[in-house]
Amino acid sequence: MARSYQTRLSPPYLKQVRLRHDVELDRSLYPFDLPLLRDREFTLRFDRAITVMVGENGVGKSTLLEGIAAMAGFDQAGGGPGYRPLDHSTAAERNGDTLRDVLRASWLPKIGQSWFFRAESFFSVSRYLDLAAREAGGSGPEFLSHSDGEGFLRFFAERCTRPGIFLFDEPESALSPRRQFEFVRLLRDIAAAGKAQVIVATHSPILMATPGATLLSVTRGGIDPVALEDTDHYRLYREFVLDPHGTIEAMIGA
């Protein structure tokens, strides 16, 4: 990743991601067999500080986010550029690294301060930060001394007030519904400050409703802008709230 420096330019700093034309893809292998990569002209553009991607499991939204993270210099386990909180020596898959080799990113400028958050590896990343700080003679941020939701939000608030690009893969996994509203408030404040770019992959209708965010639907047909009310997630949750027992019976075949 490029060295950190200040810029007077406003986000988004990552302008677009597209498939390279000079690389051949083996469509029989994952992740190159993802439907969203079927089009050789695949291009994902970013036009606002906050972008929220929504889609069912298996369509490739998290894998795409991993690819963007790899291009930005992140480890697939999360953290900042240069962080290696987990041992990948026996890992079977490196989907983000694989996508990095076939994608090309356009930056203006390429920001050095940044973070990639994954709920399932937050414990390892937090422990990595605490140990690194103690080895340097400090006390460490001690994010793990809080409950999951409190620790995550404290972490988000501290990191995301800085200029940079921040990627979040399903952050709602660590947050109660009420805490998700606090995260939305943080995202709104980040957008208003005009210093950071955030890309979120989520299943949460609460996060999808972030004010001023670009909401993108990732499907087997591609990636397209979508209104909150037109997402399958919103429709299903609305149906459940209006008729919880009837929806449960219909969905589980009772």
Side-chain angles (χ1 to χ4, degrees), residues 96-239:
D97 289 349
T98 302
L99 271 188
R100 176 184 58 191
D101 297 333
V102 302
L103 293 175
R104 177 163 292 163
S106 298
W107 302 82
L108 186 63
K110 192 169 186 180
I111 295 294
Q113 295 188 35
S114 45
W115 198 267
F116 178 31
F117 171 84
R118 306 192 70 170
E120 64 268 29
S121 58
F122 182 76
F123 178 86
S124 297
V125 173
S126 297
R127 182 171 56 187
Y128 176 93
L129 290 174
D130 284 343
L131 291 175
R134 288 173 185 144
E135 289 175 357
S139 60
E142 298 185 352
F143 293 113
L144 297 179
S145 65
H146 302 264
S147 70
D148 284 352
E150 290 175 333
F152 287 4
L153 285 171
R154 180 186 171 197
F155 180 83
F156 297 158
E158 177 184 308
R159 295 280 168 170
C160 294
T161 55
R162 310 171 186 178
I165 181 168
F166 301 90
L167 311 179
F168 294 92
D169 188 18
E170 300 182 10
E172 70 273 12
S173 300
L175 301 171
S176 69
R178 185 175 296 275
R179 295 290 189 186
Q180 290 178 41
F181 284 107
E182 295 181 34
F183 185 55
V184 169
R185 183 189 302 119
L186 175 61
L187 293 179
R188 181 201 61 188
D189 293 345
I190 290 172
K195 294 181 179 180
Q197 179 179 3
V198 178
I199 305 173
V200 181
T202 185
H203 292 292
S204 168
I206 295 174
L207 302 191
M208 295 176 204
T210 299
T214 294
L215 183 59
L216 299 176
S217 174
V218 183
T219 67
R220 296 188 179 280
I223 303 179
D224 298 289
V226 65
L228 170 64
E229 295 78 6
D230 292 331
T231 63
D232 291 338
H233 297 69
Y234 174 88
R235 290 171 175 170
L236 183 58
Y237 272 73
R238 183 176 185 275
E239 184 178 332

Side-chain angles (χ1 to χ4, degrees), residues 44-61:
L44 174 58
R45 294 183 175 85
F46 301 96
D47 58 3
R48 296 186 185 180
I50 311 293
T51 301
V52 179
M53 299 191 296
V54 54
E56 283 297 330
N57 293 332
V59 297
K61 67 181 187 305

Side-chain angles (χ1 to χ4, degrees), residues 22 32 84 180 198 253:
D22 59 337
F32 308 129
R84 294 295 180 266
Q180 290 178 41
V198 178

